[in-house]
Amino acid sequence: MLVTYLEASRDLCETDSILFGAALAVCRIIGAKLSTAGRATGQSSAIPAWRIRIEERIAKARALIGRLICFRSGNTRPRIVCTVRMAFAGTNVSLSLPDIMQKLTERIDDLKQKIAAWVKRIRRYTERSTRFNQNRLFQSDQKRLYKSLERPIVSGTGPAPNQANMVAFWRSLWSEPVNHNEGPWTEVVVSQCASITPMDPVIITPDDVAEAVRRAPNWKSPGLDGLHHYWLKGFMVCHSVLARQFQEALNQISLPSLFTTGITHLVP
């Protein structure tokens, strides 16, 4: 189906929209999850459901330990007594037994051991998930993996930067036109380059596009179009169309803004 649409494509923007539509159609057919925050996708930071369940168990166990300790210290309020009875529900333990304090201590120790086991399970699952993500990232983007391993942990403490000041600072560098004063060094550079033979005209072939796509990481952060290199590798029929349209853009010395606009993230 792509062949028919790509043959009618007039420029790179149309080709990009066609490829994005094809990728979206594939995701819907196979039932893949899609981001609803726009075309540019990002990594999800949601806490896994299994971790939420275990953390809820830990919170309930800690609250129960607090009630049991209060009862053991002599607090006999109705709510505390009711909680203690629920803690021993299904057992032969009664609050009127002479060794109830020993039973309370055993129950508290049992809950503490469960909490320690749950915490260890979270740690084990987290380490396993980290190893899995690192292995997958090693296969798709080794450079990004090494950067993540070398990057120091950034502390979230301290005063937050002022947004207005940051915008004003970077706008003064990127948005304001600047008149550069060219010195005599430019004439020296021109004279040195006069003897250089001009390069031959660049001819972009489908093989060039295929090789460039092959070398690119599959899931490298996409541009504003949200289209990953993975799809360009899969939709091989687009290579010849991209080669022709990139050649036209090179000859006309013009690229659409879609290919020259990006998002800049300030790293603290």
Side-chain angles (χ1 to χ4, degrees):
M1 291 176 63
L2 272 176
V3 177
T4 304
Y5 288 100
L6 289 174
E7 288 179 351
S9 175
R10 294 171 296 180
D11 53 29
L12 286 169
C13 287
E14 286 191 8
T15 300
D16 180 76
S17 297
I18 293 171
L19 294 177
F20 181 84
L24 184 63
V26 171
C27 289
R28 288 178 175 174
I29 291 173
I30 66 177
K33 294 182 179 180
L34 301 175
S35 173
T36 58
R39 294 183 65 174
T41 58
Q43 295 183 349
S44 174
S45 59
I47 301 176
W50 60 264
R51 180 164 183 167
I52 294 177
R53 290 193 298 267
I54 296 177
E55 289 178 348
E56 289 177 352
R57 295 177 193 170
I58 293 175
K60 292 180 180 179
R62 286 175 175 169
L64 181 56
I65 289 175
R67 298 285 179 87
L68 295 177
I69 292 176
C70 288
F71 182 81
R72 190 175 60 179
S73 301
N75 190 336
T76 57
R77 289 185 301 174
R79 180 178 297 180
I80 300 295
V81 175
C82 181
T83 303
V84 174
R85 287 175 177 171
M86 291 177 60
F88 290 105
T91 64
N92 296 325
V93 178
S94 175
L95 301 185
S96 59
L97 293 176
D99 60 344
I100 185 61
M101 294 302 172
Q102 181 182 354
K103 297 295 184 181
L104 285 172
T105 302
E106 293 175 356
R107 181 60 173 158
I108 291 173
D109 291 340
D110 181 60
L111 290 173
K112 288 182 178 180
Q113 292 177 7
K114 286 186 177 181
I115 290 176
W118 288 332
V119 171
K120 187 175 181 180
R121 184 182 301 177
I122 290 178
R123 187 184 305 114
R124 185 172 67 250
Y125 286 176
T126 303
E127 292 175 353
R128 178 184 176 186
S129 177
T130 301
R131 289 195 300 267
F132 174 79
N133 292 331
Q134 288 178 347
N135 291 337
R136 185 173 59 179
L137 189 59
F138 179 81
Q139 296 177 357
S140 61
D141 192 348
Q142 297 180 13
K143 181 179 179 181
R144 183 179 171 190
L145 171 63
Y146 296 142
K147 281 187 176 181
S148 66
L149 296 178
E150 297 173 356
R151 182 178 303 161
I153 299 177
V154 180
S155 175
T157 60
N162 183 274
Q163 181 178 359
N165 293 341
M166 285 196 303
V167 172
F169 174 79
W170 290 105
R171 181 172 288 155
S172 65
L173 295 180
W174 291 342
S175 299
E176 301 295 335
V178 179
N179 295 323
H180 298 281
N181 295 324
E182 306 294 351
W185 64 271
T186 56
E187 299 178 359
V188 177
V189 174
V190 171
S191 62
Q192 292 176 348
C193 296
S195 59
I196 298 178
T197 304
M199 65 182 294
D200 297 330
V202 177
I203 305 300
I204 302 176
T205 65
D207 292 337
D208 295 332
V209 175
E211 179 64 16
V213 170
R214 186 188 66 82
R215 292 175 177 270
N218 283 346
W219 304 109
K220 183 178 177 66
S221 180
L224 297 178
D225 57 353
L227 193 66
H228 291 85
H229 290 139
Y230 170 84
W231 299 106
L232 299 181
K233 294 181 180 182
F235 299 145
M236 293 181 292
V237 69
C238 74
H239 294 170
S240 59
V241 178
L242 288 175
R244 172 174 56 81
Q245 293 179 345
F246 273 120
Q247 185 69 51
E248 294 173 354
L250 182 64
N251 297 337
Q252 299 172 2
I253 318 179
S254 175
L255 276 174
S257 59
L258 178 66
F259 290 85
T260 57
T261 303
I263 303 174
T264 299
H265 299 274
L266 301 182
V267 179

